[in-house]
Amino acid sequence: MNADAKALEAAQDSDLPTMATPYVPPPPVGPRAHMRALGFADPFRWLARGLKDLHHHPGIALFYGLCFWGMAQVLAMVFKHKPEYTLSLVSGCLLVGPFLAMGLYEVSRKRERGEQPEMSTSLMCWDQHIRSMAMLVLVLMVLELLWGRASLVVFAVFFNTGMPSTTGVIEAVFNPQNVEFLMVYLAVGGVFAGLVYGLSVVSIPMILDRDTDAISAVITSMRVVFSHPGVMLLWGLLLSVLVLAALWPWALGIVVVGPWLGHASWHAYRGCVEWEENPEEAVTLGSSN
């Protein structure tokens, strides 16, 4: 019985067509992204280049800076009077923020190409990338909502002195009885913040520059982070410190720091990623201005 089955299988195999040479898949179509070698001095170069863009186009930067300042004021007002709606408003800012940042990227992109940036083009640069941006913003909003839910769980499980009021939240959080809560809360927040940072550190400028889809942009962004974790950690710390410093007092510093970091983030993308347009030539995206 087994011999008959083997003979039948051998006969069927002999009827299959054979190839003279093994199949080799074709090369990928289109440019491919490669990670550039980075050093710990590069983040400071990105900041310096962003400051140049800010200096050359202060009017456009002022408009976006006032937008960032307005968002900060609305968040502070809602937290003071209706804290239960703060998380929802943060999600809304997460939706608006990338579009504002893309306008700043467009200014730096045009200046890098020797073109004259205009307010109108910076405001409408996202309209040709709306699908990719919408998908990316949706992912960020889902992470934001999960972050908020995880924070509520940490409050419910680890907070020992009762839910704080808006006037005494700082005193309550740093109460010695809540040391365990503070450690867990910072750990959970750090995980979500790191994930959001990794997904978006170069993905939004990449969508503007290459008109790529959101998935490819996110994958490239994570590749950048995993290729140079130390440098990207330094970059994230610089962004965080500058933003926190700009929020005091009355968030006035964000009028300057917000646009500055927007321009610098474009140069971070250009400094992290290079594109191989074809096998013979690789086009480096590092700015030299």
Side-chain angles (χ1 to χ4, degrees):
M1 190 69 178
N2 293 334
D4 294 339
K6 291 181 178 180
L8 179 60
E9 182 179 356
Q12 291 175 347
D13 291 341
S14 63
D15 294 335
L16 294 176
T18 58
M19 301 182 64
T21 57
Y23 171 74
V24 178
V29 178
R32 290 178 291 177
H34 298 279
M35 305 300 104
R36 296 190 63 201
L38 297 177
F40 286 98
D42 287 307
F44 300 97
R45 294 192 183 99
W46 303 335
L47 289 173
R49 292 167 182 167
L51 195 59
K52 287 183 180 180
D53 293 345
L54 181 71
H55 173 73
H56 280 83
H57 303 282
I60 298 178
L62 178 61
F63 169 79
Y64 285 101
L66 290 175
C67 290
F68 290 132
W69 181 81
M71 292 168 61
Q73 295 303 308
V74 171
L75 280 174
M77 187 180 302
V78 171
F79 178 74
K80 182 177 181 180
H81 299 285
K82 293 288 184 180
E84 63 271 19
Y85 296 111
T86 303
L87 184 60
S88 299
L89 193 61
V90 168
S91 300
C93 292
L94 195 63
L95 177 64
V96 177
F99 290 96
L100 289 176
M102 185 173 277
L104 294 165
Y105 302 154
E106 176 68 6
V107 172
S108 294
R109 185 173 77 103
K110 281 189 170 293
R111 182 170 180 268
E112 192 176 84
R113 295 166 61 179
E115 303 176 6
Q116 181 64 30
E118 298 178 357
M119 178 66 74
S120 58
T121 56
S122 70
L123 288 173
M124 298 304 297
C125 65
W126 51 267
D127 62 344
Q128 297 180 357
H129 317 283
I130 188 65
R131 292 186 178 180
S132 297
M133 283 298 298
M135 179 61 69
L136 181 59
V137 169
L138 178 62
V139 172
L140 295 178
M141 288 185 65
V142 170
L143 288 175
E144 179 70 20
L145 293 174
L146 291 175
W147 189 351
R149 179 61 63 180
S151 298
L152 291 177
V153 172
V154 172
F155 259 104
V157 175
F158 293 98
F159 207 80
N160 296 323
T161 59
M163 294 298 288
S165 64
T166 56
T167 57
V169 62
I170 301 298
E171 294 82 357
V173 166
F174 287 96
N175 189 301
Q177 299 182 38
N178 291 316
V179 173
E180 184 180 10
F181 156 78
L182 187 60
M183 295 175 62
V184 176
Y185 189 83
L186 291 177
V188 172
V191 170
F192 279 97
L195 185 57
V196 171
Y197 170 72
L199 293 177
S200 59
V201 64
V202 301
S203 56
I204 300 175
M206 178 176 167
I207 290 174
L208 175 65
D209 183 42
R210 311 298 299 193
D211 194 26
T212 186
D213 62 279
I215 301 301
S216 299
V218 164
I219 292 175
T220 302
S221 186
M222 295 301 294
R223 286 177 60 196
V224 168
V225 173
F226 284 114
S227 297
H228 305 285
V231 176
M232 299 315 295
L233 177 61
L234 173 61
W235 179 234
L237 288 175
L238 288 174
L239 295 177
S240 301
V241 169
L242 289 172
V243 169
L244 289 176
L247 294 177
W248 185 268
W250 305 295
L252 292 175
I254 204 69
V255 176
V256 175
V257 172
W260 176 25
L261 296 183
H263 291 307
S265 296
W266 167 261
H267 293 288
Y269 155 70
R270 297 284 279 176
C272 290
V273 184
E274 65 180 11
W275 292 92
E276 184 182 344
E277 303 291 347
N278 54 64
E280 290 78 20
E281 179 182 4
V283 178
T284 300
L285 296 187
S287 172
S288 59
N289 58 332

